[in-house]
Amino acid sequence: PTPTNTATNTPTYTPTLTPTVTPLPTATRTPTLTPTATTAVQTITIQVNSGADDVNDTGTLPASDTSIWVGNAGTANPAIAGFRFNNITIPKGSTINSAHLEVYSIQSQWQTISFQIAAEAADSSAAFTTSNRPGQRTLAATTVTHSSNVNWNTNTWYSLDEMAPVIQQVTNRTGWQGGNSLSVILHGLNAGTFGRKFVSTFERSATNAVRLVI
């Protein structure tokens, strides 16, 4: 007999699909910047810029003198000196860290002087006139008293007392805004007859007129 080959089944393998994992993108966190408040400290110097803005008030108002005194004029009523400063570029809400007047001595002088330093209680100080003199102005509550007995040399600048609170109470007023005018008024106190010293006015020299440093 002739043998007959019987076919043997060969298994067919069906491949199993392997899923490809696609990684999800990693989120990059962008930090939120918190602004840091910065404080700008600035010094400004304002000088009397008109002959009508530096005056002595003893009941009259001479506005063209080449010198002005600070202290007591030896009169029955204390002598008053008024200094008006214009266009003060201090924004509302500013903090006044320091403030003082600077005066220019026109002669050698050694007298005991005493006076009260105050500011007019006004949002923007009006010009001095014969009907609206420094002595007729309403003063803000905070004042500083100056008292000294030292020699002043000729043609020399001198700084008066620290008075930041005097200026601060004006710039804190509701109606204050940068560019307003401010008047500083000195009331002479009893320090002996004619206890006064003379300083330069705008009429004498614009360069040596009284300065307000803030």
Side-chain angles (χ1 to χ4, degrees):
T2 301
T4 301
N5 293 328
T6 303
T8 304
N9 293 329
T10 303
T12 301
Y13 294 97
T14 302
T16 302
L17 294 176
T18 303
T20 302
V21 178
T22 303
L24 296 174
T26 303
T28 302
R29 295 183 179 273
T30 303
T32 301
L33 298 178
T34 302
T36 302
T38 57
T39 301
V41 178
Q42 182 181 5
T43 299
I44 63 172
T45 299
I46 313 100
Q47 199 158 18
V48 169
N49 60 4
S50 167
D53 288 336
D54 51 1
V55 295
N56 276 127
D57 178 6
T58 58
T60 59
L61 195 68
S64 59
D65 291 344
T66 58
S67 65
I68 187 172
W69 70 77
V70 294
N72 175 37
T75 58
N77 296 315
I80 299 169
F83 304 102
R84 180 171 175 262
F85 302 94
N86 300 299
N87 192 29
I88 299 180
T89 56
I90 297 177
K92 183 175 176 59
S94 299
T95 298
I96 308 300
N97 296 313
S98 178
H100 65 273
L101 289 176
E102 293 182 348
V103 297
Y104 189 80
S105 173
I106 64 171
Q107 62 192 44
S108 178
Q109 43 194 337
W110 196 339
Q111 288 90 7
T112 299
I113 57 174
S114 182
F115 49 81
Q116 178 196 70
I117 304 173
E120 182 187 2
D123 297 335
S124 188
S125 181
F128 299 134
T129 65
T130 54
S131 60
N132 193 9
R133 304 188 311 273
Q136 297 172 312
R137 304 295 176 94
T138 299
L139 302 181
T142 301
T143 63
V144 171
T145 298
H146 172 91
S147 183
S148 63
N149 181 18
V150 295
N151 181 45
W152 282 9
N153 296 317
T154 307
N155 301 330
T156 305
W157 284 101
Y158 289 94
S159 296
L160 301 183
D161 307 71
E162 170 59 41
M163 58 172 191
V166 173
I167 304 302
Q168 184 76 75
Q169 63 189 334
V170 176
T171 60
N172 281 349
R173 291 177 63 89
T174 302
W176 173 264
Q177 61 183 0
N180 282 4
S181 298
L182 183 151
S183 288
V184 177
I185 299 173
L186 279 51
H187 280 249
L189 303 175
N190 292 327
T193 303
F194 293 101
R196 58 184 178 175
K197 289 181 177 178
F198 291 86
V199 302
S200 180
T201 62
F202 177 84
E203 290 87 347
R204 187 185 194 92
S205 168
T207 303
N208 296 331
V210 175
R211 303 188 298 213
L212 173 61
V213 181
I214 302 175

